[in-house]
Amino acid sequence: MKKLSVLIALALAGQAGASTLADSRSVAMGGTGVASANYISASLHNPALAANHNSEDGFGMLLPTLAARIHDGDDMIDELEDFQDINDNLSSNPSEQELEQWRNALRKLDGNEVNAEATFGLVIAIPNSLVSTNFFTKANGISLGKTIVDEDDLDLDDPNFEDLNSFAQAIGGGTFDVGLSLAKSFETNGGTWQVGVSPKYQRLYSLNYKATVDSYEDDDFDIDDRLEKSGFNIDLGTAYHFDNGVSLGLAGRNLVSRELKTNISQGSQATFQVEPEFTAAAAFTGDWYQMAFDIDLNKRQYFKEYDYKLQYARLGAEVEAKWAQVRVGYAYSITSSGSDLFTAGFGFTPWGKFGLDLSGQVGKDDHYALSAQFIFTL
């Protein structure tokens, strides 16, 4: 098993919401965006912000935004690879020393977990004074992997001639959305109120692969075994921008609950679910900087049978100097499934017409994320 191919298989097997992945600017700013996204990236955070433009803003495109995250705090991938190397090289009628090395490698696998996530998005923004419109597509996938050791396997005298009960399993789920965001601004005394809606076609995907730890192969976690179904979903959002630079936002994503069973593998099955996600946010925008705070109002549970839940409180800041932007942030994990993340990135927008954004995140226990995107405006 090659580590890189495992990561790719996991990532391709996740919706922004309780995650910290959306567009690259947001990734660098701790995952914020519900009150601070620009009109181009609004569909990925809060549809109301599609109306958050001025008279100088024109047609814009996000082509594309890409992000990937891996959290392997138990070193599951390396430990599984090490065990399989030892198991493959175990001699016939092994010595007690060889057996103890084999057992130690197997013990290290017990209860290990890894998770990975990937996102992809495209947006075409058409701002106007009537109803601002964004056309968007986004794909998100998340995968969980685990290894469970059966105590009976540790008592084997010669594993060469026995079937192991210890297993490794990877489950994956994802969404593919195609839709449009419609947003409208209303001037009030002291500020601007914006409302938006994103009706969307949504396709769900699920995948499951389970095998004994000695026979597990990442190539068998095959996207061709996925199950899928289509339906409708909707995002809603609102934002209020005070004249003093303060903005407040509230977004609800995937307001229609949906779920999809995975394929059955070795008698095991899971249920990928898409549930409503709500986020509240605040931001302050100055002449050359912006600060933002987002908080998830509920937990995001991806698989019904697994107690893996994400919920974050996020902080972000951006400093702009003509054609360059520097961004930093921090994401605090409210649940034990995630980990706190430090985030950073930069943007380069020569002549203000096109831009490249790069960002990354890092947390304890081998938790990493990278993101990149291109933006074009007229």
Side-chain angles (χ1 to χ4, degrees):
M1 178 183 291
K2 299 296 187 292
K3 185 166 185 175
L4 179 60
S5 61
V6 178
L7 299 185
I8 294 173
L10 286 171
L12 294 180
Q15 182 84 267
S19 170
T20 57
L21 300 184
D23 63 293
S24 293
R25 178 176 181 265
S26 170
V27 169
M29 297 175 64
T32 56
V34 168
S36 55
N38 57 43
Y39 71 99
I40 299 176
S41 61
S43 299
L44 307 178
H45 299 278
N46 181 352
L49 297 180
N52 191 30
H53 55 82
N54 55 48
S55 58
E56 298 177 355
D57 293 324
F59 175 88
M61 294 187 295
L62 186 60
L63 296 173
T65 181
L66 301 163
R69 177 186 62 79
I70 179 73
H71 186 191
D72 190 10
D74 296 322
D75 290 327
M76 173 185 151
I77 296 172
D78 286 337
E79 297 288 3
L80 184 56
E81 185 175 355
D82 290 343
F83 170 78
Q84 290 183 339
D85 287 342
I86 293 172
N87 185 76
D88 291 343
N89 293 322
L90 193 66
S91 61
S92 179
N93 192 24
S95 67
E96 188 58 37
Q97 182 178 3
E98 289 178 306
L99 279 175
E100 190 59 30
Q101 182 186 29
W102 181 88
R103 290 168 181 154
N104 286 337
L106 183 59
R107 289 189 187 99
K108 290 180 180 180
L109 291 176
D110 194 27
N112 288 358
E113 295 182 349
V114 60
N115 62 80
E117 186 178 3
T119 68
F120 171 85
L122 298 170
V123 182
I124 298 175
I126 308 174
N128 61 84
S129 59
L130 183 60
V131 177
S132 294
T133 304
N134 285 10
F135 297 92
F136 67 89
T137 180
K138 54 184 176 181
N140 310 91
I142 188 165
S143 182
L144 309 181
K146 66 176 182 178
T147 50
I148 300 296
V149 173
D150 190 307
E151 291 292 330
D152 291 342
D153 291 342
L154 298 172
D155 297 327
L156 296 176
D157 293 326
D158 191 345
N160 288 296
F161 302 103
E162 301 286 349
D163 294 328
L164 299 184
N165 295 313
S166 303
F167 68 88
Q169 184 177 17
I171 56 174
T175 58
F176 176 75
D177 297 345
V178 178
L180 56 87
S181 298
L182 303 172
K184 179 69 175 177
S185 288
F186 302 92
E187 297 298 327
T188 67
N189 291 330
T192 303
W193 178 44
Q194 296 165 345
V195 294
V197 58
S198 292
K200 57 189 181 181
Y201 162 88
Q202 185 175 73
R203 194 158 186 82
L204 270 59
Y205 300 88
S206 65
L207 180 62
N208 176 36
Y209 170 56
K210 181 179 179 181
T212 57
V213 291
D214 57 324
S215 63
Y216 186 96
E217 292 290 341
D218 57 275
D219 289 342
D220 292 331
F221 189 50
D222 192 346
I223 197 69
D224 290 337
D225 295 329
R226 71 188 184 276
L227 299 181
E228 55 188 82
K229 71 175 182 179
S230 301
F232 168 83
N233 222 313
I234 190 169
D235 304 337
L236 294 176
T238 186
Y240 192 85
H241 306 278
F242 295 90
D243 291 340
N244 61 4
V246 174
S247 299
L248 301 177
L250 178 65
R253 288 174 290 273
N254 294 318
L255 299 185
V256 179
S257 297
R258 304 183 64 210
E259 63 180 41
L260 176 64
K261 292 282 188 181
T262 67
N263 57 298
I264 298 174
S265 180
Q266 297 294 312
S268 176
Q269 191 175 34
T271 307
F272 175 63
Q273 54 187 10
V274 174
E275 297 179 315
E277 306 167 35
F278 300 95
T279 304
F284 180 78
T285 304
D287 292 336
W288 48 271
Y289 66 95
Q290 185 180 65
M291 297 181 293
F293 171 73
D294 287 28
I295 184 168
D296 297 323
L297 301 180
N298 62 323
K299 298 179 178 66
R300 171 73 163 97
Q301 184 174 2
Y302 294 89
F303 298 94
K304 183 179 294 187
E305 297 83 2
Y306 294 83
D307 191 30
Y308 177 83
K309 302 175 182 179
L310 294 182
Q311 184 180 17
Y312 279 95
R314 313 179 187 90
L315 288 169
E318 177 186 62
V319 176
E320 184 168 2
K322 199 174 181 179
W323 293 341
Q325 302 83 37
V326 177
R327 304 165 181 134
V328 295
Y330 182 75
Y332 170 75
S333 179
I334 299 173
T335 66
S336 59
S337 299
S339 67
D340 299 349
L341 297 167
F342 293 94
T343 68
F346 68 90
F348 181 58
T349 53
W351 302 285
K353 295 300 182 182
F354 63 91
L356 168 65
D357 295 309
L358 298 173
S359 56
Q361 300 179 342
V362 61
K364 65 178 182 179
D365 298 330
D366 290 334
H367 198 163
Y368 305 103
L370 292 173
S371 181
Q373 71 184 23
F374 292 94
I375 293 180
F376 175 79
T377 59
L378 292 180

